[in-house]
Amino acid sequence: PPGGQRPNSRSTSKNAVNPFRFRGCVNRLTALPEGRCYIAAIRQDIQTQEAAMKITKLTTFIMHVPVTKNIIGDSTHSITHWGMPGVMIETDTGLVGYGYTGTHADITTDRLITTIIQDVFGPMLIGEDASEVRYLHRKMSRSSTNIWVGRGGLMQMALSAIDIALWDLKAKMVEQPLWKVFGGSKNTRI
């Protein structure tokens, strides 16, 4: 609209600052006159690419891996293996994301985690857009099962494995390493 004002704007002054005018402008994008950004088309292209990646199948797994020097321990526990219950999330594009969580290789606990992944969260994920990682995380963590059973412990471990697999899928979809998807730089010095 002329003058940068939106229809039904509450502002009465033509020079009033609209706090939403610069939302989405990033230094690598070109800001257009009156603070508008050329970002809508870019977001649309990304959404078009991502919309095609529907979750079709979840397969759980359990791995027990020997620890270095055959044992890790403290004053109350010792373990000889590290457990990794996890999930493979398959999509209609053929991409597969892998995620796992870590345990003390107790097979009973590991089976509980994979059962939660498969039976509690699995039905919530089938048919969903795998690129919507934050939405799916919110959907799972706010589910009635998660709220009533509890948001910690085994439920959180299962959710974490799924979350890692979804981020793995997102990085594979855009053909970038995950650190780049998160905005990292290999040239950053600490």
Side-chain angles (χ1 to χ4, degrees), residues 108-169:
T108 306
T109 305
D110 293 350
R111 284 185 183 141
L112 286 170
I113 293 168
T114 56
T115 299
I116 292 168
I117 292 169
Q118 193 71 46
D119 297 340
V120 176
F121 295 130
M124 290 180 211
L125 297 172
I126 298 296
E128 290 284 356
D129 183 351
S131 66
E132 292 290 335
V133 180
R134 290 184 176 105
Y135 162 76
L136 293 174
H137 183 92
R138 207 171 30 253
K139 180 179 180 179
M140 290 183 292
S141 44
R142 293 181 181 170
S143 71
S144 59
T145 303
N146 204 13
I147 291 170
W148 287 103
V149 172
R151 295 182 199 148
L154 298 175
M155 296 293 280
Q156 189 60 46
M157 294 175 90
L159 186 81
S160 298
I162 293 168
D163 203 43
I164 292 167
L166 291 171
W167 281 111
D168 184 39
L169 276 169

Side-chain angles (χ1 to χ4, degrees), residues 49-59 88-98 125-132 136 165-170 172-173:
Q49 283 179 337
E50 293 175 352
M53 194 166 61
K54 299 294 180 195
I55 297 171
T56 57
K57 183 178 178 184
L58 278 80
T59 306
M88 297 183 307
I89 300 178
E90 298 178 37
T91 67
D92 61 352
T93 63
L95 292 175
V96 180
Y98 299 88
L125 297 172
I126 298 296
E128 290 284 356
D129 183 351
S131 66
E132 292 290 335
L136 293 174
L166 291 171
W167 281 111
D168 184 39
L169 276 169
K170 190 155 184 133
K172 288 175 178 176
M173 183 192 67

Side-chain angles (χ1 to χ4, degrees), residues 53-69:
M53 194 166 61
K54 299 294 180 195
I55 297 171
T56 57
K57 183 178 178 184
L58 278 80
T59 306
T60 57
F61 61 86
I62 297 172
M63 293 190 303
H64 287 176
V65 180
V67 296
T68 55
K69 299 190 182 186

